[in-house]
Amino acid sequence: MLDELRAAFGYLNSKDVFPSTTINKSGPSEQPIDRHSLSRSISRKLEQLGVPKFVPHDLRRTVATRLGDADIGAVPIVVEKILNHQLQGVQGGYNMQEYMEKRLMFINKWQLKLTSNL
């Protein structure tokens, strides 16, 4: 996948897999995309997408909410791990479990729900 992405942006002759296409004083592709790139891109496309205004962080909220719905049923600690949050309190200090099998199980369960609705 990364090779395909690099090829897609090959015309920029960048060393970065995700080069910035924004032109600055040093020209395009001199910097990698920054943490605001996705937000700016979404803002430019909102009308064309025909969806209400949202920011990328809203997608994380949607994931957390949807995974906890009764039909998927992910427990909160697994949702936190899926979102790559650091556990807090006693859990953060003592629980070193990554819950990888459960993460995969709940993500796959959601994927099956999505594809069965198509």
Side-chain angles (χ1 to χ4, degrees):
M1 252 194 223
L2 293 175
D3 288 337
E4 289 175 23
L5 285 167
R6 189 179 301 278
F9 291 104
Y11 69 96
L12 292 172
N13 296 319
S14 175
K15 65 181 177 9
D16 299 304
V17 175
F18 301 103
S20 173
T21 57
T22 303
I23 297 176
N24 57 30
K25 58 186 165 198
S26 57
S29 78
E30 295 298 318
Q31 298 292 320
I33 59 173
D34 64 30
R35 64 188 195 101
H36 302 292
S37 296
L38 184 58
S39 295
R40 286 191 303 266
S41 180
I42 288 171
S43 291
R44 286 191 304 266
K45 298 288 186 178
L46 276 175
E47 188 175 323
Q48 182 181 352
L49 293 170
V51 296
K53 181 173 174 45
F54 74 97
V55 295
H57 200 80
D58 292 332
L59 299 173
R60 291 173 65 84
R61 190 174 348 226
T62 300
V63 168
T65 301
R66 187 66 184 95
L67 287 171
D69 283 347
D71 63 333
I72 296 177
V75 294
I77 197 166
V78 175
V79 172
E80 292 295 314
K81 286 297 198 169
I82 288 170
L83 295 174
N84 202 32
H85 287 169
Q86 295 297 316
L87 298 179
Q88 300 299 310
V90 173
Q91 288 286 345
Y94 293 103
N95 185 348
M96 299 298 135
Q97 177 58 257
E98 291 297 323
Y99 299 96
M100 293 308 286
E101 287 180 19
K102 289 188 185 283
R103 288 186 197 184
L104 186 58
M105 179 184 74
F106 288 118
I107 293 294
N108 285 334
K109 192 172 182 179
W110 188 10
Q111 178 186 9
L112 287 172
K113 296 271 182 197
L114 288 171
T115 55
S116 68
N117 290 333
L118 295 178

